[in-house]
Amino acid sequence: MNTTPDLPLDPALSPDPALSPAPARPLDPALSPESGLRTDPAPPPEPALSLNSVTLTYPDGDRRLTALDAVSLDVAPGELVAVAGPSGSGKSSLLAVAATLLRPDEGRVTVAGQDTGPMSARALTSLRRERIGIVFQQANLLPSLTAEEQLLAVAHLRGGIGGLRGRSVRAAARERAAELLESVGLDAAKRRRRPHQLSGGERQRVNIARALSGGPSVLLVDEPTSALDHERGERVVELLAAVTRAHGTATVLVTHDRALLGRADRVLTMADGRLR
């Protein structure tokens, strides 16, 4: 068989290495496919409420009773954390420390980025007024005031809204009260009713709106369904979940009723002063 001798390669036909396509590189998952720009994932938000190794004891005769035993808890803005446990497990003590009403024996409590340990009593009062909302187990509404007036009284005690004075502050306070009461499901007619003219669930809604009136970073809720039947209790917990997201609060709900915990982002258990 005849074979054709190999011909020398024409340099003019040799592919230019500079023009050769580069080998495909794996796609960087941090790059946006649309723009090719790096889109690093956003860091998680700083917790609005942080308890770090908090221990609280009470005197009990010649010894001390441990109410909180090295408890740590971080709650992010817009997060609802439920803490369940029987009576005497430390739930109320947890809320009292988180609300800066009690100073722990050990550990650190941080609210809205502020370490509360070194604060004076006056500074803590200011912090609670501006950064912490508390929903009490009983609504404790003033019997002579309408639902709207309950919120106006709180605005007055806080010294107004945004530095406004006179008619401006009164108008702003009324507008804010109406917005909050509407957000918890109370229409204009019910906003003008006094506590005895409202149902238990409606009184608790006013309680929640009042706690939100200062625009808090942290919302602490103490057994809000204890005086309600199951159906109304479910509605209140659904409302708490909704306002937590709408207002961006770091919400801690303590309860003994595990049947109402389905709306929480996290459910923790308190037993013998320890959080699990």
Side-chain angles (χ1 to χ4, degrees):
M1 175 184 294
N2 292 331
T3 59
T4 303
D6 292 337
L7 297 176
L9 184 63
D10 186 348
L13 300 178
S14 176
D16 186 345
L19 300 178
S20 299
R25 292 182 298 174
L27 181 64
D28 185 345
L31 297 180
S32 166
E34 292 82 4
S35 63
L37 299 178
R38 179 170 292 275
T39 56
D40 292 327
E46 290 293 323
L49 173 66
S50 180
L51 279 66
N52 186 11
S53 299
V54 167
T55 295
L56 176 70
T57 64
Y58 295 108
D60 183 32
D62 58 355
R63 63 190 185 94
R64 295 191 71 85
L65 180 67
T66 300
L68 298 176
D69 188 0
V71 168
S72 293
L73 174 65
D74 288 338
V75 187
E79 182 181 23
L80 171 60
V81 175
V83 179
S87 299
S89 60
K91 303 188 306 297
S92 295
S93 296
L94 175 69
L95 285 188
V97 169
T100 73
L101 295 171
L102 292 176
R103 290 186 185 268
D105 299 28
E106 300 176 7
R108 183 172 63 181
V109 178
T110 304
V111 176
Q114 301 182 62
D115 183 358
T116 64
M119 288 186 174
S120 66
R122 176 174 293 183
L124 288 175
T125 298
S126 178
L127 180 72
R128 283 193 296 272
R129 183 170 58 240
E130 297 173 3
R131 296 295 186 179
I132 300 174
I134 302 176
V135 178
F136 298 99
Q137 184 171 350
Q138 301 297 327
N140 296 322
L141 301 177
L142 297 172
S144 62
L145 299 184
T146 66
E148 182 181 69
E149 289 168 346
Q150 307 284 340
L151 275 65
L152 295 177
V154 172
H156 176 74
L157 292 173
R158 284 196 170 96
I161 295 179
L164 299 175
R165 294 292 181 268
R167 290 185 178 180
S168 296
V169 71
R170 287 195 292 272
R174 285 189 180 279
E175 182 178 353
R176 173 71 171 163
E179 290 175 354
L180 285 171
L181 290 168
E182 183 178 1
S183 75
V184 299
L186 292 180
D187 59 25
K190 290 180 179 178
R191 295 200 291 268
R192 293 190 291 268
R193 295 180 182 176
R194 290 179 171 79
H196 73 276
Q197 298 170 313
L198 299 171
S199 69
E202 290 167 344
R203 288 193 293 271
Q204 197 61 284
R205 289 170 184 267
V206 178
N207 192 11
I208 294 169
R210 183 177 58 184
L212 292 168
S213 62
S217 303
V218 174
L219 187 63
L220 305 173
V221 188
D222 183 17
E223 298 276 7
T225 63
S226 60
L228 304 176
D229 59 36
H230 183 76
E231 182 179 352
R232 290 178 179 174
E234 280 189 331
R235 291 176 185 170
V236 167
V237 174
E238 289 175 1
L239 174 61
L240 285 168
V243 299
T244 293
R245 288 159 181 76
H247 294 269
T249 58
T251 302
V252 179
L253 161 69
V254 302
T255 182
H256 66 277
D257 189 351
R258 288 186 168 274
L260 300 175
L261 301 180
R263 296 286 179 174
D265 298 302
R266 281 190 288 153
V267 177
L268 305 175
T269 300
M270 199 89 191
D272 299 325
R274 294 183 179 180
L275 197 59
R276 301 180 177 87

